[in-house]
């Protein structure tokens, strides 16, 4: 069985740097991600460890979302060509899905992947509150509340957000149902 994550060795920095593979799919990071990280790290000398953890959690939000698209596309039989990460968004490049429903499901999968991680963290904080550990609280905020907010925002029904495709699931399912002749009004 192939590893889920495989890091590139060596990593050669370029405009789009291949950092490895996720589930056999080449994963790239745009140079601007490294530039933004360098600026943030250069400006924070007081707590570099906490800053690195925060940056890693933020990138985790992007990666989790794109892994959701990747898994859905692969399960629906779509070839996945690459994942690209940018400072505030990611792109999972995949082949043409077999149906509009499949395309909508792939769009929903990124948001659902975030929700699977974020909702338990938000529920934990709602039930028990924050901890006395600053680093853990930061993970609750970034991987929980922030990630859930980004997921909801990503459902805005206009391009380039996933919502432009995801919300099409309702008319697509209705059309699919009608084409199969299962409409009770017939």
């Amino acid at each position: 069985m192939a590893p889920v994550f495989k890091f590139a060795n060596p990593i050669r920095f370029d405009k789009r740097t291949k950092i490895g593979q996720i589930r056999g799919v080449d994963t790239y990071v745009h140079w601007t991600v490294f530039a933004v990280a360098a600026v943030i790290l250069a400006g924070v000398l007081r707590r570099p460890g906490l800053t690195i953890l925060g940056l890693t959690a933020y990138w985790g939000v992007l990666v989790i979302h794109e892994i959701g698209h990747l898994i859905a596309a692969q399960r629906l039989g779509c070839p996945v060509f690459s994942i690209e990460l940018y400072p505030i968004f990611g792109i999972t490049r995949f082949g043409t899905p077999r149906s509009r429903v499949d395309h909508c499901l792939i769009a929903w999968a990124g948001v659902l992947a975030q929700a699977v991680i974020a909702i338990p963290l938000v529920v934990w904080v709602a039930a028990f509150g924050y901890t006395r550990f600053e680093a853990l609280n930061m993970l609750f905020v970034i991987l929980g509340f922030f990630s859930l907010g980004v997921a909801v925002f990503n459902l805005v029904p206009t391009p380039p957000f996933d919502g432009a495709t995801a919300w099409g699931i309702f008319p697509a399912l209705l059309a699919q149902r009608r084409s199969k002749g299962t409409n009770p009004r017939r």
Side-chain angles (χ1 to χ4, degrees), residues 57-68:
Y58 174 73
W59 292 332
V61 169
L62 297 174
V63 170
I64 290 165
H65 183 93
E66 298 310 318
I67 287 174

Side-chain angles (χ1 to χ4, degrees), residues 34 36 54 73 86 91 98 106 110 136 143 160 162 182:
F34 298 115
V36 168
Y86 296 87
I91 299 171
R98 286 183 281 203
I106 293 167
L136 187 56
L143 294 174
D162 287 331
T182 59

Side-chain angles (χ1 to χ4, degrees), residues 86-110:
Y86 296 87
I88 59 171
F89 68 95
I91 299 171
T92 299
R93 300 197 187 276
F94 54 89
T96 304
R98 286 183 281 203
S99 70
R100 184 172 175 212
V101 170
D102 285 357
H103 197 192
C104 295
L105 290 172
I106 293 167
W108 273 104

Side-chain angles (χ1 to χ4, degrees), residues 54 57-58 61 114 117-119 121-122 124-125 129-131 133-150:
Y58 174 73
V61 169
Q114 282 180 266
I117 303 297
I119 289 173
L121 297 176
V122 169
W124 174 275
V125 172
Y130 288 103
T131 71
F133 304 105
E134 191 175 25
L136 187 56
N137 292 338
M138 182 174 55
L139 293 176
F140 281 138
V141 169
I142 295 172
L143 294 174
F145 294 94
F146 175 75
S147 181
L148 201 53
V150 168

Side-chain angles (χ1 to χ4, degrees), residues 2-87:
V4 175
F5 298 100
K6 180 180 175 188
F7 290 98
N9 185 13
I11 293 178
R12 292 184 176 87
F13 290 94
D14 200 355
K15 182 179 175 185
R16 283 185 338 148
T17 299
K18 181 179 175 181
I19 59 167
Q21 293 184 328
I22 300 173
R23 292 179 58 116
V25 174
D26 290 342
T27 303
Y28 299 91
V29 174
H30 194 262
W31 70 270
T32 54
V33 171
F34 298 115
V36 168
V39 168
I40 290 171
L41 291 173
V44 181
L45 299 175
R46 214 177 89 220
R47 301 183 110 172
L50 203 56
T51 302
I52 291 169
L53 181 63
L55 276 171
T56 303
Y58 174 73
W59 292 332
V61 169
L62 297 174
V63 170
I64 290 165
H65 183 93
E66 298 310 318
I67 287 174
H69 293 312
L70 166 73
I71 291 170
Q74 287 179 335
R75 288 200 175 170
L76 292 169
C78 277
V80 180
F81 308 119
S82 67
I83 293 175
E84 299 171 16
L85 300 174
Y86 296 87

